[in-house]
Amino acid sequence: MEAAAFYSFSILAIISALFILFSKNLIYGAFALFLTFLGVAALYVLAGADFLAVTQIMVYVGGILVLMIFGIMLTQKASKDTTSTTPNRVEVLLSREFWGFLTGTGFFIFLGYIILDSQFKMTGDIISSKSTIRTIGVELMTSHLLPFEIAAILLLVALIGAAYLALNRNPAQ
Amino acid sequence: MNTIPLEHYLLVAAALFSIGLAIAITKRHFIGMLLGIELMLNAVNINLIAFSRYDPEKLSGQLFALFVIVVAAAEVTIALAIIMRVYGHYKTVDPDQVDDLKR
């Protein structure tokens, strides 16, 4: 049962990722990325990371993807050969396509060779089905307190910087 | 419970990472490249969480994945703000046409 869920969600994630690669329309690609994120969140749940799965859905699907769709819509360019059946078209050069496929498949074969060749000896107990929220909270507030604070400052800096860059459209005036 | 071997998680993550790399190379659009980069960050998170299954006391991998999500959120907001500025200045979203320094 668990194996069936794992393989179906992995196939969902990989097929929608391939759809982004082959789709010419960027909006369709963004919606396929939504499916990929959901599949990855399901893989997190199957690996025992319930808190991270919910965080993934809230941050990626609720925040980043909506932001990207806004970005696609705000950078719309009506070129001469755009018709109503071909919106948001991304032209792909043949040489780029060739190098992209070559790099992608080559990297996948390289990584797969390394993964299948290595023998991982895991000594710890496998995670039980209890919730991970308590452990994550305690670890964040004790041994990982400095990275937590640095992440907070990073988010504040990113917020101010993004607001400045997006609001102040013409600093020369 | 948890009969899926670790290698299968790693292989799925490797496939997603390679597809993300191919997307970031092939798409001639700033936001298309950003989609590929987000996919690569997600693949890395799958690796971290798969290894974190064997560490239920400290969950270091899941904490790392949490920080990766935070940095990805910060990165994408800044990247989109910069893309808006570049679009306002050059009126294009094609990275090949932003080549003032090469002329």
Side-chain angles (χ1 to χ4, degrees):
Chain A
M1 185 64 208
E2 198 196 347
F6 175 81
Y7 293 117
S8 51
F9 279 120
S10 343
I11 287 170
L12 171 77
I14 290 175
I15 284 181
S16 41
L18 282 174
F19 181 79
I20 307 171
L21 182 58
F22 292 116
S23 156
K24 291 261 186 287
N25 189 333
L26 210 59
I27 286 277
Y28 292 169
F31 283 117
L33 194 68
F34 170 76
L35 272 183
T36 312
F37 284 159
L38 285 186
V40 172
L43 293 191
Y44 289 179
V45 171
L46 290 174
D50 50 351
F51 176 70
L52 271 164
V54 176
T55 312
Q56 159 97 358
I57 290 175
M58 281 176 64
V59 172
Y60 274 100
V61 179
I64 290 178
L65 211 53
V66 171
L67 212 60
M68 282 193 174
I69 290 173
F70 264 106
I72 293 169
M73 291 192 288
L74 285 174
T75 55
Q76 208 41 284
K77 190 177 64 174
S79 66
K80 292 176 289 298
D81 48 342
T82 299
T83 62
S84 62
T85 54
T86 60
N88 300 306
R89 192 145 294 256
V90 180
E91 297 302 327
V92 175
L93 292 177
L94 199 63
S95 66
R96 264 196 189 227
E97 215 160 52
F98 172 72
W99 283 112
F101 287 133
L102 198 68
T103 319
T105 48
F107 205 70
F108 179 64
I109 290 167
F110 175 64
L111 285 178
Y113 175 72
I114 289 179
I115 289 166
L116 294 178
D117 195 46
S118 56
Q119 308 285 325
F120 292 110
K121 290 270 189 296
M122 307 312 265
T123 54
D125 313 328
I126 210 154
I127 200 163
S128 58
S129 59
K130 71 172 171 52
S131 170
T132 59
I133 297 176
R134 184 180 184 84
T135 318
I136 287 180
V138 169
E139 288 288 320
L140 271 184
M141 278 297 142
T142 53
S143 55
H144 291 73
L145 190 57
L146 182 65
F148 184 68
E149 298 288 341
I150 291 174
I153 293 174
L154 175 77
L155 280 179
L156 180 68
V157 170
L159 181 69
I160 296 172
Y164 176 77
L165 280 176
L167 275 180
N168 195 5
R169 276 298 170 88
N170 194 355
Q173 285 180 351
Chain B
M1 190 73 191
N2 276 318
T3 51
I4 299 153
L6 178 69
E7 279 80 10
H8 293 192
Y9 279 101
L10 300 186
L11 279 177
V12 171
L16 284 180
F17 190 90
S18 311
I19 295 170
L21 188 65
I23 291 171
I25 291 174
T26 38
K27 286 266 188 276
R28 277 177 67 201
H29 193 292
F30 283 125
I31 295 174
M33 293 163 74
L34 216 54
L35 296 181
I37 291 170
E38 292 303 317
L39 203 57
M40 285 157 82
L41 286 167
N42 254 277
V44 171
N45 274 353
I46 294 179
N47 269 1
L48 290 170
I49 286 172
F51 277 108
S52 164
R53 273 198 310 168
Y54 297 92
D55 183 20
E57 283 88 32
K58 296 186 73 72
L59 290 177
S60 313
Q62 293 195 16
L63 288 166
F64 257 102
L66 201 60
F67 289 121
V68 169
I69 289 177
V70 168
V71 173
E75 169 245 330
V76 82
T77 48
I78 295 294
L80 277 170
I82 292 173
I83 289 168
M84 288 295 137
R85 289 304 288 267
V86 169
Y87 181 72
H89 192 266
Y90 290 97
K91 301 282 179 240
T92 180
V93 282
D94 188 350
D96 288 346
Q97 290 177 21
V98 184
D99 56 354
D100 273 9
L101 285 179
K102 276 161 70 177
R103 285 188 200 143

